[in-house]
Structure formats: structure tokens, C-alpha cells
Amino acid sequence: MDEGQELKQINQIIGVFVNKARQELKARWDQWHIDLSKNEFYEVVGALLARQVTLATQLAENPLIWNGHIAPLILRAMADVYISLAWILKEPIDRSRKFVLYGLGQEKLNLEHRKAQIEKRDPTPAEKIMIESSEAWINSQRFTFLTEVNLGSWSGISTRQMAEEAGCIDFYNYVYTPFSACSHSMWNHIARYNLRQCLNPLHQYHRCPYDPEMPVDPEYLYLAGKYLQRSFSTFDESVDMKIEGQSAFEKLCEDLNQLNKVSDES
């Protein structure tokens, strides 16, 4: 298979995965029986599932970021979403409310920072619109003066504790923690990816800054699909839902295996 044919096939695989992922999200929302007295629960869980679809499909549609520099940033975010989702589903009503109130508090804090920044002058039209819009968004859910700002974690415990309570500590250990090194630009990431050893023995083989070009690696697309499927499966089990037909992840695995088979035969 030549490079042009391979690129065309990859684009087809991406298109199918993205469409099926979005269809799966809609199918779950349409099938879920909504209790309007518990809006926060449905909105939080729905938003987290939608966020997971967004992260997976955005990674899928941008093959140039399928590398060790950028893909882990998105995969780490997907790990964060999954742990939050799994933890919330254990006690959905109380934990959904915590999630919402913390987010509103953070928005209020941002709003107060903006106001403090311009308190000694008149705001520009754009600044005024931004402040009014933010204030209106908070007030539409909870009056600003009643909204508390929490400077700790939204759950009141660490992400590791959340993972332990949600029964996904392995996911935390093998996904969340390793990808955190990239997300936070820690030494165990940048030393591998952004340093290259000097070949001059007089320089004691010290390492120099380096920005390498990375090959496109479909393994990162596979991982995004895998984490999306894990989120869907955890949701399905929690609310006792069954979605018929081949999943986006199953189709992705099938297509990637076929692509590898064709490439090996070329």
C-alpha cells in the first residue's frame, strides 16, 4: 500500500470512528429515562460522557498529534474524566451536586479576579460583556451571592482516593499517573522526549535541548477509543443499559487490524 492509499484508509477509519462515537452518545441519551427532579445528575453524567466523546474524536481527527508529545495530554484528560464519572456514579445525586457547585465556585472566583483587575478603571465593552455573561451564567443555576468558592479538590479527596473508591485504581496507576508526566512536563517525560545526548566526549556526553519530529502512531487513537468505551461501559453497567450493535471501539479495532494486515502484506 502506498502512502496516499494508507492516508486515505486512515481518514476513512477516523470518519467511521467519529460518527459511531457520536451516535453511541446520542443512543444512550435517547434511551436513558430522565427524572427531571434529579437534573444535576443527568446533566453532569451526560456532560462527562459528551466530554469524553469530544476528547476522543478531537484526537482522532488530528493524526499529527498521535505522538508521545501531545496525545498523552488528551489521554490524561480522558483518564481524569473517566475517574470522575466512575466515582460520581457510585453516589450520583450527592456527588453530581458537589461537581456542579465546585464548578460554579471556580467560575465565581474567575469573575471576581476579572472585577478586581479593572476595579480602578471603567471596563471596556468587551470586558463588560464578559463579566455580565459570566454572572448571568452563574445566576441561571445558583445566585452568585450564594455560591461558595472551594479552593480544594471538587470531590474533597484526592484523585487516587476517588479511583480507589470507584474500583478503578489500576486505571489510575497505569493510565492517569504515567500520562501525568507529560501533562505536567515532569522530568521523566521531558528528559526522554526533549533532550538528546551530545556526541562530543569532551562535553561529557551531556544532553542538549531537542525538539524531535515524531512519527504518527495509531496506538494513541486505539487508546482514545479504549478509554471512551470504558466510560460507556461503566455508565451502561451503572444505569443498567444495553446498546445493541457494534461499538465504535470494536469497529476501530477491526479497522486498525485490517490496516495493519494490509500494510504487512505490502
Side-chain angles (χ1 to χ4, degrees):
M1 183 190 303
D2 63 35
E3 188 175 334
Q5 289 177 314
E6 185 174 24
L7 180 60
K8 182 177 180 181
Q9 191 164 350
I10 287 175
N11 284 333
Q12 290 175 341
I13 291 172
I14 292 169
V16 170
F17 171 71
V18 168
N19 287 334
K20 285 187 73 67
R22 290 171 177 162
Q23 288 167 6
E24 278 197 76
L25 174 65
K26 185 177 186 303
R28 283 172 170 82
W29 185 254
D30 290 345
Q31 192 171 315
W32 203 10
H33 299 294
I34 308 297
D35 181 348
L36 296 179
S37 68
K38 302 172 183 176
N39 271 355
E40 285 177 334
F41 164 49
Y42 294 97
E43 289 175 358
V44 166
V45 171
L48 286 171
L49 286 176
R51 173 65 171 166
Q52 206 73 308
V53 170
T54 295
L55 291 169
T57 56
Q58 286 293 310
L59 184 146
E61 291 178 324
N62 293 277
L64 290 180
I65 68 171
W66 297 356
N67 60 64
H69 283 301
I70 305 301
L73 300 176
I74 297 177
L75 295 174
R76 164 60 164 70
M78 292 188 73
D80 218 338
V81 170
Y82 174 73
I83 293 171
S84 293
L85 175 67
W87 190 74
I88 286 171
L89 287 170
K90 294 295 182 181
E91 294 181 19
I93 306 304
D94 178 60
R95 292 175 178 179
S96 293
R97 185 160 183 76
K98 280 185 178 179
F99 188 83
V100 170
L101 292 178
Y102 182 84
L104 291 176
Q106 292 302 297
E107 186 67 16
K108 178 181 178 179
L109 182 61
N110 294 336
L111 177 62
E112 295 305 319
H113 285 326
R114 293 192 191 105
K115 288 180 176 179
Q117 187 181 32
I118 61 173
E119 65 180 351
K120 295 181 179 178
R121 62 174 174 82
D122 292 330
T124 65
E127 288 171 334
K128 186 176 181 181
I129 290 173
M130 183 186 299
I131 289 171
E132 290 175 350
S133 174
S134 179
E135 206 155 34
W137 185 79
I138 297 171
N139 285 332
S140 69
Q141 301 167 79
R142 184 179 177 85
F143 288 124
T144 310
F145 67 88
L146 293 177
T147 302
E148 297 179 356
V149 175
N150 181 351
L151 298 179
S153 69
W154 73 266
S155 62
I157 58 176
S158 69
T159 304
R160 180 181 180 82
Q161 288 174 292
M162 289 170 63
E164 288 175 340
E165 291 184 8
C168 56
I169 190 62
D170 285 349
F171 187 80
Y172 175 90
N173 289 335
Y174 301 124
V175 177
Y176 182 93
T177 298
F179 287 146
S180 293
C182 176
S183 181
H184 297 296
S185 299
M186 294 164 63
W187 175 249
N188 53 324
H189 180 83
I190 65 172
R192 289 190 174 98
Y193 284 88
N194 291 109
L195 289 177
R196 180 171 58 178
Q197 191 172 55
C198 174
L199 299 179
N200 188 337
L202 297 178
H203 293 170
Q204 300 179 354
Y205 298 105
H206 75 301
R207 287 171 290 189
C208 306
Y210 179 49
D211 178 29
E213 290 189 14
M214 302 290 289
V216 171
D217 186 353
E219 174 71 10
Y220 290 107
L221 172 60
Y222 165 81
L223 291 176
K226 182 179 180 180
Y227 302 160
L228 175 61
Q229 181 58 40
R230 181 163 184 157
S231 300
F232 280 151
S233 297
T234 298
F235 167 80
D236 293 347
E237 183 180 349
S238 177
V239 303
D240 193 24
M241 183 178 292
K242 185 172 179 60
I243 300 296
E244 302 294 339
Q246 187 181 42
S247 72
F249 179 57
E250 289 169 339
K251 176 61 175 170
L252 176 64
C253 290
E254 180 182 292
D255 289 344
L256 289 176
N257 287 335
Q258 181 62 29
L259 179 65
N260 288 334
K261 182 180 178 181
V262 172
S263 297
D264 291 341
E265 292 172 353
S266 300

